[in-house]
Amino acid sequence: GLRLSQKRDRAGGRLLPFARHWLKKHHARILDQLAGLDHLDAKQQHKLRIAVKKLRYGLEFFSPLFERRVREKLIRSLQKLQDSLGHLNDMKIHRGIMDDVLRRTRPDHRVPEAFAIGFIEGIQEIRGRYYVNAAARIGRKLSGLRTPW
């Protein structure tokens, strides 16, 4: 019978063209979106995060078809990008919580809560810039990485 490596090569021969096309297409979409990262709203950033996650999962699924060192470098960058975009999404959730706090606060207590929320908002703004810059930096690195396909 065929050895395991021969079986893998036979299956990969049929699967490889599809995997290359799929990964290349998703990678290109992500790079296009990253080019305009500064102009994406929270919903678009979240969609980008989902696209990054999908590419990472696809690359992990097709991983036996590609050179380990190259794909692992790309997977690590995708994980970091996904994390940065995830933090941005968390901040959107935090904003909703802050709005809810203000809506539910009695009018005579709104000044202290508004002050505290303003303080938190300022911190969130700084974090937001940090994560957008981090995502942009990772995106530039990602566009320069060798792809396994």
Side-chain angles (χ1 to χ4, degrees), residues 1 7 18 27 29-30 43 70 80 91 120 138 143-144:
K7 288 180 183 178
F18 173 81
H27 184 253
R29 283 184 190 162
I30 287 168
K43 188 174 185 176
V70 174
K80 289 176 184 176
M91 290 172 53
I120 294 169
I138 296 164
S143 68

Side-chain angles (χ1 to χ4, degrees), residues 26-43:
H26 285 78
H27 184 253
R29 283 184 190 162
I30 287 168
L31 292 181
D32 285 346
Q33 291 176 15
L34 282 169
L37 181 63
D38 291 340
H39 305 293
L40 299 182
D41 62 26
K43 188 174 185 176

Side-chain angles (χ1 to χ4, degrees), residues 2 4 7 11-12 15 18 22-24 41 49 51 53 64 67 70 73 76 121 128 134 136 139 141 143:
L2 292 174
L4 182 60
K7 288 180 183 178
L15 187 58
F18 173 81
W22 192 94
L23 293 166
K24 189 176 185 177
D41 62 26
R49 179 178 178 267
K53 185 178 185 177
E67 182 186 338
V70 174
K73 223 177 192 181
R76 278 192 304 276
E121 257 310 287
K141 180 181 176 184
S143 68

